[in-house]
Amino acid sequence: MSKIGIIGSGLIGRSWTMIFVSYGFDVHLYDVVPENVTNAMKLIKEQLDELEIQGLLRGQLNAAAQFGHVHRAKTLADAVSDAIHIQECVFENLELKKQVFSEIDAICSNTVVLCSSTSCFLPSLIAENLTHKSQFIVGHPVNPPYFVPLVEIVPSKWTDQDILKRTDDLYRLVGQKPVVLKREIEGFIVNRIQYAILNECYRLIEDDVISVTDVDSVMSDGLGMRYAFMGPWETAHLNAQGMEEYFAKYAQGINDVSRTMGPVPMMSGDTAKLIADQMNGIIPESKLPERRQWRDQRLIALSQLKKKMN
Ligand SMILES: NC(=O)c1ccc[n+]([C@@H]2O[C@H](COP(=O)([O-])OP(=O)(O)OC[C@H]3O[C@@H](n4cnc5c(N)ncnc54)[C@H](O)[C@@H]3O)[C@@H](O)[C@H]2O)c1
Ligand SMILES: *[C@@H]1O[C@H](CO)[C@@H](O)[C@H](O)[C@H]1NC(C)=O
Ligand SMILES: *[C@@H]1O[C@H](CO)[C@@H](O)[C@H](O)[C@H]1NC(C)=O
């Protein structure tokens, strides 16, 4: 089976590894700290075994067979040579990512996909000075990628169409749900939408319209219920006799309400403190790991439900 190189063996590097081996790709995992690969391989084995016991393992192969496709790359060159796709997962630091890709650039083929998992750096900022910049692209996953399938594919203006298509095909093949940006933009799409929501939630607290817990409930008990299954356009389409009627009926109201929304807030000062105090009251720092487990259990159950219903 084809080879995939993963650079960086932290949370996201391990997740990509598990996703790619689920389909039987040979993953070669590299980290600048060798013990981190040792540790990552141990964690991956434990997680694959646990997923198998829980009936949550992806793909057709059993856990032992999948783990058989995880290999340690002793050097960066070991991970890169003969790979069809490189998925970079090092710390979110622009200088580091540029450095790592300039090292890869010096040794890689003219065909391999050079893909970064970056959450926020525009691809052109990483790729500008690479010889192989037409092979560079961003594939930004959502945590936890094993259960949340979305990946944002972000090309730069130099990215070859074939590289984009191969990245899209690869992610689909292993069961992720890629979406393709037509051009790079700050925040990509996930964070632009997430920030629009955060900004309005912030203004509603600042203007003392609703409590912190109630505004969270608007999402988790209301809007979020349907957004787990359909986006805002389909929601609108179904809420009227189709889009034409929706726009005819609601465009004016949407515009009127939207113009009452305040300017982009800077999230600091009294309101930020109020929100932080309330959230710390509900979930103190000591309870964060427990609550993350609670969240992941629900995401797993939801992803199972979605699979069953499709
Ligand atoms: N954690 C998330 O929720 C999330 C979600 C989407 C995307 N991302 C992105 O994925 C990337 C990785 O994030 P993470 O959460 O896995 O980080 P992490 O801190 O868990 O892991 C980073 C790993 O990179 C390794 N590393 C550092 N320098 C290296 C080098 N020069 N060569 C090889 N390996 C090196 C470190 O040893 C570490 O194991 C970041 O760009 C992050 O923004 C993270
Ligand atoms: C290696 O792993 C340790 C422990 O998980 C982590 O703190 C560290 O950031 C990793 N990488 C490097 C380069 O130190
Ligand atoms: C590329 O190299 C030029 C010339 O050294 C430099 O000015 C520019 O900042 C570099 N671009 C990036 C994104 O690092």
Side-chain angles (χ1 to χ4, degrees):
M1 195 71 175
S2 305
K3 168 173 167 179
I4 291 178
I6 307 261
I7 315 303
S9 63
L11 181 68
I12 295 301
R14 295 197 302 273
S15 300
W16 277 123
T17 301
M18 289 166 59
I19 289 167
F20 288 130
V21 296
S22 76
Y23 198 80
F25 282 104
D26 274 308
V27 172
H28 292 247
L29 184 55
Y30 172 74
D31 199 292
V32 71
V33 182
E35 302 85 74
N36 284 20
V37 180
T38 309
N39 182 42
M41 289 183 74
K42 186 168 159 275
L43 281 172
I44 289 168
K45 180 163 190 343
E46 283 168 11
Q47 279 170 24
L48 291 173
D49 288 343
E50 183 61 28
L51 289 164
E52 183 166 62
I53 289 165
Q54 294 179 7
L56 297 171
L57 192 69
R58 286 170 60 161
Q60 306 300 316
L61 304 168
N62 67 29
Q66 293 191 18
F67 188 67
H69 289 284
V70 184
H71 309 276
R72 167 194 292 277
K74 289 207 181 68
T75 62
L76 184 66
D78 279 350
V80 171
S81 72
D82 300 325
I84 58 160
H85 180 104
I86 304 292
Q87 188 77 39
E88 169 273 312
C89 312
V90 305
F91 301 134
E92 188 74 351
N93 173 310
L94 183 57
E95 288 312 311
L96 176 67
K97 288 190 189 284
K98 278 161 63 171
Q99 178 57 36
V100 167
F101 276 106
S102 86
E103 287 172 35
I104 294 171
D105 196 34
I107 54 178
C108 74
S109 70
N110 292 328
T111 53
V112 61
V113 174
L114 304 178
C115 188
S116 173
S117 304
T118 181
S119 305
C120 68
F121 301 125
L122 295 179
S124 61
L125 285 182
I126 302 175
E128 183 178 6
N129 291 329
L130 301 180
T131 312
H132 297 94
K133 65 181 169 188
S134 67
Q135 291 163 238
F136 184 88
I137 197 157
V138 164
H140 172 229
V142 181
N143 205 28
Y146 201 83
F147 296 104
V148 180
L150 187 78
V151 188
E152 298 185 275
I153 297 182
V154 191
S156 79
K157 59 176 177 287
W158 305 295
T159 307
D160 198 289
Q161 277 305 309
D162 179 58
I163 293 289
L164 194 156
K165 181 173 184 312
R166 281 166 52 206
T167 309
D168 191 66
D169 288 348
L170 175 68
Y171 288 159
R172 280 179 203 284
L173 188 65
V174 296
Q176 297 305 97
K177 283 283 163 57
V179 294
V180 175
L181 275 66
K182 295 179 185 176
R183 63 176 174 88
E184 61 179 29
I185 185 168
E186 289 76 5
F188 310 150
I189 306 299
V190 168
N191 278 331
R192 291 182 81 86
I193 293 175
Q194 183 159 245
Y195 296 164
I197 292 171
L198 270 178
N199 283 335
E200 181 55 14
C201 291
Y202 192 91
R203 288 184 294 248
L204 288 167
I205 304 298
E206 184 142 85
D207 297 346
D208 203 17
V209 181
I210 190 168
S211 71
V212 172
T213 48
D214 277 359
V215 80
D216 263 5
S217 181
V218 167
M219 296 303 291
S220 60
D221 299 313
L223 293 174
M225 299 279 291
R226 48 193 191 207
Y227 283 163
F229 297 94
M230 70 188 92
W233 290 132
E234 187 172 349
T235 300
H237 194 59
L238 300 187
N239 276 354
Q241 279 308 107
M243 264 345 281
E244 290 87 355
E245 198 208 52
Y246 186 89
F247 285 138
K249 256 186 170 164
Y250 300 117
Q252 188 61 53
I254 293 170
N255 190 264
D256 290 344
V257 171
S258 301
R259 278 185 291 104
T260 70
M261 291 178 179
V264 177
M266 176 56 80
M267 298 186 189
S268 65
D270 291 346
T271 301
K273 188 173 178 333
L274 184 144
I275 295 169
D277 286 348
Q278 290 208 22
M279 288 313 300
N280 291 334
I282 303 164
I283 309 163
E285 205 182 325
S286 61
K287 291 270 165 59
L288 285 175
E290 195 181 303
R291 191 67 173 176
R292 288 192 188 107
Q293 271 189 352
W294 175 95
R295 172 198 65 191
D296 288 349
Q297 279 165 1
R298 275 152 188 78
L299 285 173
I300 290 167
L302 181 60
S303 80
Q304 293 303 104
L305 175 66
K306 286 183 61 139
K307 249 183 217 146
K308 207 167 69 190
M309 296 191 89
N310 285 336

